[in-house]
Amino acid sequence: MHLAENGTELLRVSGFENIYSISVNSRDGSCWVIDSRLDAFLVHLAEDGTELWRGVVEGHEVVVNPADGSCWLNNTDGLILHLAEDGTELWRTSSFGTDWSVTVNPTDGSVWVADRDVAQIIHLVIPGWQPSIFYDVPWYFWAFDETGACYNAGIVGGYGDGLYHPELAVTRDQMAVYISRALAGGDEYVPEFTGTPTFPDVPAAFWALDHVEYTVAQNVVTGYEDGTYHPEYAVTRDQMAVYVARAMVAPTGEAALADYVPADPRNFPDVASGFWAYTHVEYCVENGVVSGYLDGLYHPEVVVTRDQMAVYVARAFGLMP
């Protein structure tokens, strides 16, 4: 049950049998629950009771780290397990007894373990832990380094809720913002545009006018055949390759790629030599910006999300150490 401060019942979740432990994430109101029935399991519930994750994990105690949403729990075999917010196992150790409790330090990600079997207290530093700029891009997130590099370079920022939202699709207005910031060295260096707007759907009052016009001046974008830019369209992987390849050779843009011949073409079945963005995709692949999928395809039709965009931009502009 979830009770308000005055005792009012806010939520009731049924379906459990023998709850051993519950730990609430003060950051988002979600909780982790250990139900030690015959087939013991661990459940991650959102604040509204929606089940986010469930796994068969034996344990007696669970505690959450509000800094990154991960959780720690003890296994009946003497294991300490560290799980990501989505249930992915991050780390484990078997050097403890079967009766212990743990306290998490959200500042540095370390944990204090009280091992009652041997009457010891142990302080553990977590391998690879780093403070996160955004709560939804924790240190174990696949694009953590690239997102941080783009943030530090002044290319990306978060939303009003303090999150990065890596899962959101990138639109063409946003893409122009990212590319122009990367080319100029930060948002403050993107020049103010004072002329007649190039595209009717990116007028003088448009929020990304300066950025769209700067990418035009750098020969990165040209717009559609009808003369519009369509800033609301989502960017796909073929279009992303075009943006990035032209930006890497700016300000000459397409002219610099006209005579480009891949040294070692990947020859993706879905990006053949006659494909409209073939040169751009191959240029990005050859320069270590993108790669294909495990099925051997490039999937040019897939919409690019904000985590993927950060990876492409960080690699293309040499932002990684």
Side-chain angles (χ1 to χ4, degrees):
M1 295 176 61
H2 185 195
L3 302 179
E5 188 176 10
N6 63 0
T8 302
E9 182 177 319
L10 301 175
L11 179 71
R12 181 187 293 252
V13 181
S14 59
F16 296 97
E17 182 176 299
N18 188 19
I19 296 176
Y20 268 31
S21 177
I22 182 171
S23 182
V24 177
N25 185 346
S26 59
R27 172 63 176 75
D28 62 6
S30 66
C31 71
W32 291 88
V33 181
I34 293 179
D35 189 350
S36 293
R37 60 177 68 192
L38 181 60
D39 294 321
F41 58 81
L42 175 70
V43 182
H44 187 198
L45 298 175
E47 187 176 22
D48 63 0
T50 302
E51 186 172 306
L52 302 174
W53 183 85
R54 173 185 297 246
V56 178
V57 181
E58 274 195 75
H60 290 295
E61 184 175 359
V62 62
V63 61
V64 64
N65 183 350
D68 59 17
S70 65
C71 76
W72 293 84
L73 72 153
N74 68 331
N75 183 279
T76 53
D77 294 326
L79 293 176
I80 290 182
L81 300 178
H82 187 198
L83 304 179
E85 196 169 25
D86 63 0
T88 302
E89 183 176 317
L90 301 172
W91 188 74
R92 68 163 59 196
T93 180
S94 58
S95 56
F96 299 93
T98 59
D99 185 14
W100 59 269
S101 61
V102 63
T103 301
V104 178
N105 182 351
T107 303
D108 62 7
S110 66
V111 293
W112 289 89
V113 180
D115 191 339
R116 301 184 184 95
D117 283 354
V118 293
Q120 289 184 350
I121 295 178
I122 304 97
H123 188 200
L124 298 176
V125 177
I126 310 311
W129 192 93
Q130 298 180 58
S132 302
I133 299 171
F134 305 106
Y135 174 76
D136 56 348
V137 184
W139 62 275
Y140 52 80
F141 187 70
W142 79 279
F144 172 81
D145 291 332
E146 292 84 356
T147 303
C150 287
Y151 176 83
N152 292 331
I155 295 171
V156 302
Y159 283 79
D161 59 4
L163 302 178
Y164 180 70
H165 288 291
E167 78 287 354
L168 294 182
V170 175
T171 52
R172 284 171 54 86
D173 51 358
Q174 295 169 336
M175 193 64 226
V177 172
Y178 302 138
I179 292 294
S180 61
R181 287 173 178 172
L183 286 170
D187 196 62
E188 66 270 28
Y189 300 112
V190 176
E192 181 181 357
F193 182 75
T194 57
T196 301
T198 304
F199 307 108
D201 54 350
V202 183
F206 190 73
W207 78 278
L209 172 70
D210 295 341
H211 306 87
V212 171
E213 293 294 347
Y214 187 64
T215 57
V216 171
Q218 295 295 308
N219 292 303
V220 174
V221 301
T222 56
Y224 286 83
E225 292 182 356
D226 62 0
T228 61
Y229 181 70
H230 283 294
E232 77 283 2
Y233 282 3
V235 177
T236 50
R237 278 171 54 88
D238 51 356
Q239 296 170 337
M240 171 66 76
V242 174
Y243 273 102
V244 171
R246 289 176 179 170
M248 292 175 70
V249 296
T252 50
E254 198 65 26
L257 299 169
D259 299 323
Y260 166 72
V261 177
D264 183 23
R266 291 294 299 272
N267 294 320
F268 295 109
D270 55 349
V271 183
S273 59
F275 187 72
W276 79 278
Y278 169 78
T279 299
H280 311 85
V281 171
E282 292 290 347
Y283 188 83
C284 288
V285 172
E286 193 165 294
N287 284 277
V289 177
V290 299
S291 60
Y293 285 79
L294 294 177
D295 60 4
L297 302 178
Y298 179 75
H299 287 291
E301 78 286 355
V302 171
V303 171
V304 175
T305 50
R306 281 170 54 86
D307 51 356
Q308 297 168 335
M309 177 279 305
V311 172
Y312 299 147
V313 171
R315 291 174 179 172
F317 290 91
L319 303 180
M320 301 301 296

